[in-house]
Amino acid sequence: MRSKHRLLTAVAVRRTSGLHRLPGCILPALVALLVAMPGLADEYKLGIMDKLSIRVVEWQTAEGKFREWPGITGEYLVGPNGGVALPFAGELKVAGRTTADVAQEIAHNLQMRFGLSDLPEASVEILEFRPIFVAGEVHAPGKYPYDPEMTVLKAVSLAGGMRRGLDEGQRYERDFINAQGGYDVLIAEHDRLVAKRARLMSEEEGSDAIRVPEELKSNPKAAKLIQDETAIMETNRSSVGLRLKGLDELRTLYGNEIGSLEKKMDNQSHQLDLYRKELDRTAKLADQGLVTSARVLGLETTLSETQSNMLDIDAASLRAKQEMNKAALDSVDLQNEQKSKRAAEFLETQQQLDENALKTIMYKRLMNEALVNSPAASQLAGGDDSKLISYTVVRTVDGKVQEIPAGESTPLFPGDLVKVAIANGRS
């Protein structure tokens, strides 16, 4: 299953003076792409079974555009030998390296292979991390896709929770563990939804800050939740603000055009009056035989052309007014669309909170049932679950296998193996 998040992207960008030849709209985009992925892109080391997306483009100075290399661009799986095979670029060892290192080597290999004067642009993006593995006292041991926010508890949940045993007391203890895991997930989800609802209310009120809801004031994670929602609110506001600003500037542009056309219309109208007076005088002189009829015909032609120009100006003015009105309507539609979107999102969030509350009650009842039927499960209610269950993370670091004692909140890395065991010495 492909990860929904393409988190790590590295772009090999030329550091030579040739970089300044890129168009102004391209260079900021590339710089922004590199800055947007702090730390993680440099620290994460590729490994066997990571799925990569590799893309190569070359800037065509003469044509003023990018040309993609379709023969290389595609998806690649890091093989058992820790490498990937690319057309023209050859077999590359990528295990233990960052995406930036791999992208740079691809670019240099292609430059040398084809004798290019400029270094091509190569990007390496992780489409899917190598999986994690869960073994031991779980319902469905096996391989599972890695998620960037993966913890031991989430891994156990993916594996179907604790395995059912034959011992009745132990079964209730495992039931409690499973129910408590689901309960903790629901509590975290509830807090996120409450923060989201607060953000939507602040957006609707036009407030610059999100008020901390009463439900979160005693929560130690409230500041982080509000900070995340504030970032979303600022992004939304900035996006809508830019679109509204663009529409306002468009209206101003058409307004200036209309003013210019009106001045031009006044000038043409004045010229038309002069031509008419001149035509009247010349026609009288022609009747007296003092001027030729060609002179009269020339004035009539000029008068007709001036009237035609005035019609063109009037039509252009009408079109500009229509476009200005359209920009105004688009501005109103955009604001109404945002209000409607917020209302729908608010309703959906409230429905999710209602469902969350019902599920929370269900897990509370399951935990209470386990406590009633198994006194040993009461140890878990007090947070002392180490006597009943233990977790160990098996991780390969610099080629060496390490076994690390872990808890439910321990973060996992791609390729980790989680061993779940019921501890001995139950009391």
Side-chain angles (χ1 to χ4, degrees):
M1 179 169 69
R2 178 175 299 179
S3 173
K4 295 181 179 179
H5 304 284
R6 297 181 174 185
L7 293 180
L8 306 180
T9 303
V11 181
V13 181
R14 295 191 301 274
R15 298 182 179 176
T16 64
S17 60
L19 186 59
H20 73 274
R21 293 198 296 271
L22 290 175
C25 62
I26 299 299
L27 181 55
L30 291 175
V31 174
L33 180 61
L34 292 172
V35 174
M37 299 297 175
L40 185 58
D42 295 330
E43 297 172 1
Y44 181 74
K45 306 297 183 182
L46 296 173
I48 297 171
M49 296 182 72
D50 277 337
K51 192 172 185 179
L52 308 178
S53 171
I54 298 178
R55 185 183 182 198
V56 177
V57 294
E58 179 186 4
W59 174 248
Q60 300 290 311
T61 305
E63 301 177 8
K65 63 180 182 180
F66 280 106
R67 177 174 67 87
E68 186 169 359
W69 293 32
I72 298 178
T73 297
E75 299 179 2
Y76 298 85
L77 186 68
V78 181
N81 62 347
V84 294
L86 274 71
F88 309 115
E91 178 80 19
L92 302 179
K93 293 293 183 181
V94 302
R97 303 174 61 188
T98 65
T99 51
D101 292 339
V102 177
Q104 190 173 28
E105 182 178 357
I106 292 173
H108 281 292
N109 286 357
L110 293 175
Q111 184 184 36
M112 295 180 61
R113 175 68 180 271
F114 295 101
L116 303 175
S117 58
D118 293 331
L119 195 66
E121 310 295 337
S123 69
V124 178
E125 181 181 33
I126 294 183
L127 292 181
E128 185 178 318
F129 293 96
R130 54 188 181 274
I132 62 166
F133 302 85
V134 185
E137 299 293 325
V138 291
H139 182 70
K143 176 177 68 175
Y144 294 94
Y146 175 78
D147 182 279
E149 297 181 354
M150 183 69 70
T151 63
V152 169
L153 179 60
K154 289 184 178 180
V156 173
S157 298
L158 287 176
M162 299 299 295
R163 181 172 61 84
R164 301 286 180 176
L166 298 178
D167 182 85
E168 189 69 12
Q170 193 177 65
R171 180 179 71 82
Y172 282 114
E173 294 163 15
R174 289 171 177 170
D175 286 348
F176 185 90
I177 293 171
N178 292 333
Q180 187 179 47
Y183 178 81
D184 291 342
V185 171
L186 286 173
I187 292 299
E189 180 187 65
H190 171 270
D191 294 341
R192 288 194 299 270
L193 290 171
V194 169
K196 179 180 179 181
R197 183 177 61 183
R199 186 254 301 172
L200 292 171
M201 293 173 65
S202 297
E203 286 181 342
E204 184 64 26
E205 296 169 358
S207 175
D208 293 332
I210 301 176
R211 291 192 299 272
V212 180
E214 289 294 332
E215 299 99 312
L216 297 181
K217 285 188 176 179
S218 60
N219 191 326
K221 297 181 180 179
K224 180 62 169 62
L225 292 170
I226 296 299
Q227 181 182 358
D228 292 343
E229 292 299 327
T230 299
I232 295 174
M233 182 174 71
E234 291 176 352
T235 299
N236 292 342
R237 185 169 295 170
S238 175
S239 175
V240 174
L242 288 174
R243 293 170 65 184
L244 290 174
K245 182 181 178 182
L247 291 171
D248 288 340
E249 291 176 350
L250 189 61
R251 291 167 60 189
T252 301
L253 178 64
Y254 282 121
N256 293 336
E257 183 180 353
I258 291 170
S260 177
L261 290 170
E262 288 176 348
K263 291 179 181 179
K264 192 173 182 180
M265 177 67 81
D266 291 340
N267 182 57
Q268 290 290 308
S269 180
H270 179 66
Q271 291 292 329
L272 185 63
D273 290 340
L274 293 178
Y275 288 141
R276 282 174 176 167
K277 292 177 181 179
E278 180 67 19
L279 180 59
D280 290 340
R281 288 195 298 269
T282 303
K284 291 178 181 179
L285 293 175
D287 291 342
Q288 298 172 10
L290 298 177
V291 297
T292 63
S293 58
R295 171 64 176 164
V296 176
L297 181 61
L299 286 171
E300 289 177 343
T301 301
T302 302
L303 182 64
S304 177
E305 291 176 350
T306 302
Q307 291 174 329
S308 177
N309 289 338
M310 291 179 66
L311 290 174
D312 291 340
I313 294 171
D314 188 51
S317 179
L318 287 174
R319 284 194 296 270
K321 289 177 180 178
Q322 289 175 345
E323 292 297 331
M324 187 169 68
N325 290 335
K326 183 177 181 299
L329 290 174
D330 287 344
S331 180
V332 174
D333 288 344
L334 176 59
Q335 297 179 65
N336 291 336
E337 177 187 340
Q338 291 302 311
K339 288 184 179 180
S340 177
K341 181 179 178 181
R342 278 196 299 270
E345 198 170 355
F346 185 88
L347 179 60
E348 181 183 2
T349 302
Q350 189 59 52
Q351 290 175 343
Q352 291 174 342
L353 280 169
D354 294 340
E355 293 176 3
N356 179 278
L358 294 174
K359 291 179 180 178
T360 301
I361 293 174
M362 177 189 70
Y363 278 113
K364 280 184 177 179
R365 290 175 177 172
L366 290 173
M367 286 190 290
N368 289 335
E369 180 185 5
L371 289 173
V372 170
N373 288 278
S374 176
S378 61
Q379 297 174 354
L380 297 177
D384 186 15
D385 60 345
S386 60
K387 295 181 180 180
L388 295 176
I389 185 170
S390 65
Y391 304 103
T392 304
V393 174
V394 181
R395 179 177 299 159
T396 302
V397 180
D398 296 330
K400 298 180 179 179
V401 178
Q402 300 180 358
E403 291 197 4
I404 306 168
E408 291 181 345
S409 61
T410 300
L412 298 179
F413 297 151
D416 281 355
L417 166 65
V418 180
K419 293 197 299 185
V420 184
I422 297 297
N424 295 324
R426 292 171 49 219
S427 58

